[in-house]
Amino acid sequence: MSVSRRDFVRTGLAGAAGLVVLPEVFAQATAPQNEDGYKLWLRYAPPPAAVADQYRRTIRQVLVEGTSPTAEVIRKEMAAALTAMLGPGIPVVQSSAAGVDEGTVIIGTPSNSETLRAISPGVDLTRIGKEGFLIRPARTRNRTAIAVIADGEMGALYGTYHFLRLLQTGQPIDRLDVIERPRVQLRMLNHWDNLNGTIERGYAGNSLWQWADLPGKISPRYADYARANASIGINGAVINNVNADARILSAEYLPKVAALAEVWRPYGVRMYLSANFSAPVTAGGLKTADPLDPGVAAWWKAKADEIYKLIPDFGGFLVKANSEGQPGPKDYGRNHAEGANVLADALASHGGTVIWRAFIYDEDVDPDRAKRAFIEFTKLDGKFRSNVLVQVKNGAIDFMPREPFHPLFGAMKQTSVMAEIQATQEYLGQAKHLVYLGTMWKEFLDADTYAKGKGSNVGKVVEGSVHPYRVTGIASVTNPGLNANWCGHHFSQSNWYASGRLAWNHTISASEIAEEWTRMTLTNDARSVRTIRDMMMESREAFVNYTMPMGLHHLIGGDHYAPMPQNARAQRADWTAVYYHQASEEGVGFDRTMRGNKAVDQYFPEVRNQFDSLSTCPEIYLLWFHRCKWDYKTKSGKILWEALKEKYQLGVRQAAAYQMTWTSLASQIEPQRHREVADRLAIQSRDSAAWRDQILQYFQTFSKLPL
């Protein structure tokens, strides 16, 4: 979040010019070495000699005063990064007793740094909060320095990683003027890891958490995970599946959880747990989990006290209740607010939070699954405790390749609403397809809800600017595993990265994030960066083209990967494909208009009217909201059948082109990484054609038009 520059123009801190990337200089980078992707975007690859010389002239010493574990993390990170990028010889020191040399980078807070106190009198850091930071030129004892200054240690850590990001991406650092603060309070990852080591919707091996080894044996991967999160501003993680095993709350597992929390603490990553609503019965031996039963309330209070004794900064509980077979308050005739509040009361005295998922779709609420959560939760607005957030998926179905934004965003005025996005690509090619999701999330966050008139976009709703939420947040379902590259597909790392960057600041462009990630992770060669960035920016639309274009959705089978538009058998109707596309000889699509099931009426009038009319509904959502005849004339002038065929064919061509594009980059990408990505792109090209062929052949049996 931007803060006025003049608020920080005080004694010792001079104003400065903006930032300009130096891409053409980076075109001189040295030949790539073999890498397996483990370092993620923290490779700290050496820049070319000219850039390195510029940085060495500016950075001659690093001063990080303070004795806390976080201060030590900053010192180690700066030492490792500068040595890797610029070579040995730049000291990282803890004390200014010997004086501050010309070219010192001073990192810390006025409370832990005597030097920063001396050069920043009168600077009001409270406006940027404990996690915000300022990076400015400074003068101390007639010497030029760079100050990375914050009001809290986490801000100093985030400022450190931001400074290193500038170096990694080729920014000039001699005249810095950076003021940043996060736009939401909770910036989280949700892991769907099971206690047996498997991961639901995980595509990169088994779980990171080695429960059999904990708490006695600590894998170095735990700290590397926390480093990666801190570097992009993630400040919390739920480590277990929302389909929760109650044993995670037991005396057997809580010391193991506490050991992980201890590793994460210096990096500012707070521990959260998914809680099974029936834990008082299955783990506590009670006869009921009724949230209004005094014994149940006492059990949750005692459990919270037990957890906080082991983990003093425990964040709270994430709960999936009365959804897909999970227990919940409705089992006892209670509502979701009553269920959430009993946990919230247990956590309140400790400062903990309950995150209650809105992913519910009981069939008795409404025939259309897309409408059900809105109906249930809007009735409860204002009835949740102040330390409860309702976590809402970006769309009303389930992380589809494209969905209109969930109508709950903007509709909940008295209840904090937290956005849930998914980086693990469950429905977007899993770890087989290159699909950069920054573009999808920007489409979602920039969508205008009109909750308080034009400009009330989803991002502003989530940050609490539209309605005054007490707690704000964004969570990403991100399931790294034990594979060397963490995510299965090297490019899937970009979605972990983008989820953190957008949670920090949803106004950053998807293109800027893609370029950052590419420069930090793959190459700083200017032409290669442009090529990769452009491929990433197109990739999500390409996937939509060859899988579910023009508002089609859920054309899959049980594994959520393979095309299966004919899928008509499942445990429930809304797990089938035919439930959604409703194809027949008369046409295709789901009529959610005011003439149909009136789902559009869950949006504010301006949005409702746009989606309701064929003339104004964006064609990217056409078949989501409208049922159209096969010969319906689209805005391009083509009939619907021809437009669909064109989209599918375009997507296949795009996927095939990625193979040739990637081949052209072989000289700039590490050999192992290049080969592994090339193997995945071959799968993507092959499977995109399978999607096209199977979907169109199936729909042609209804349209009867030429294939």
Side-chain angles (χ1 to χ4, degrees), residues 191-208:
H191 291 263
W192 288 355
D193 293 34
N194 300 311
L195 298 186
N196 64 3
T198 62
I199 305 175
E200 183 177 342
R201 311 305 174 190
Y203 311 108
N206 281 345
S207 173
L208 298 174

Side-chain angles (χ1 to χ4, degrees), residues 282-334:
T282 56
L286 302 187
K287 294 182 178 180
T288 181
D290 183 346
L292 300 190
D293 184 289
V296 171
W299 187 89
W300 282 113
K301 180 66 170 65
K303 182 56 64 176
D305 293 344
E306 178 187 355
I307 293 172
Y308 278 96
K309 285 180 182 178
L310 292 169
I311 310 170
D313 56 351
F314 179 65
F317 295 130
L318 172 67
V319 184
K320 176 181 180 180
N322 291 124
S323 174
E324 299 179 326
Q326 292 299 304
K330 295 179 73 173
D331 299 344
Y332 303 94
R334 314 302 184 189

Side-chain angles (χ1 to χ4, degrees), residues 152-297:
E153 280 203 315
M154 286 307 112
L157 180 63
Y158 296 144
T160 298
Y161 281 115
H162 186 94
F163 181 75
L164 292 174
R165 185 183 302 122
L166 299 179
L167 302 186
Q168 290 174 277
T169 55
Q171 302 282 4
I173 60 169
D174 54 336
R175 293 178 59 80
L176 289 173
D177 185 10
V178 177
I179 302 168
E180 293 233 6
R181 65 175 297 177
R183 285 184 172 263
V184 299
Q185 295 160 279
L186 306 184
R187 305 175 302 279
M188 298 178 61
L189 299 187
N190 287 182
H191 291 263
W192 288 355
D193 293 34
N194 300 311
L195 298 186
N196 64 3
T198 62
I199 305 175
E200 183 177 342
R201 311 305 174 190
Y203 311 108
N206 281 345
S207 173
L208 298 174
W209 328 124
Q210 303 299 290
W211 296 114
D213 294 340
L214 288 164
K217 184 177 179 182
I218 303 296
S219 166
R221 199 165 183 128
Y222 303 152
D224 288 336
Y225 165 84
R227 283 180 62 231
N229 283 332
S231 74
I232 53 176
I234 295 292
N235 65 0
V238 183
I239 60 170
N240 61 312
N241 198 340
V242 289
N243 298 321
D245 186 328
R247 289 181 297 160
I248 197 70
L249 301 179
S250 69
E252 176 187 2
Y253 277 90
L254 285 177
K256 300 172 185 284
V257 174
L260 285 174
E262 182 74 19
V263 175
W264 295 358
R265 192 166 289 115
Y267 298 91
V269 182
R270 292 180 73 183
M271 176 65 68
Y272 292 75
L273 293 174
S274 289
N276 188 296
F277 191 80
S278 65
V281 176
T282 56
L286 302 187
K287 294 182 178 180
T288 181
D290 183 346
L292 300 190
D293 184 289
V296 171

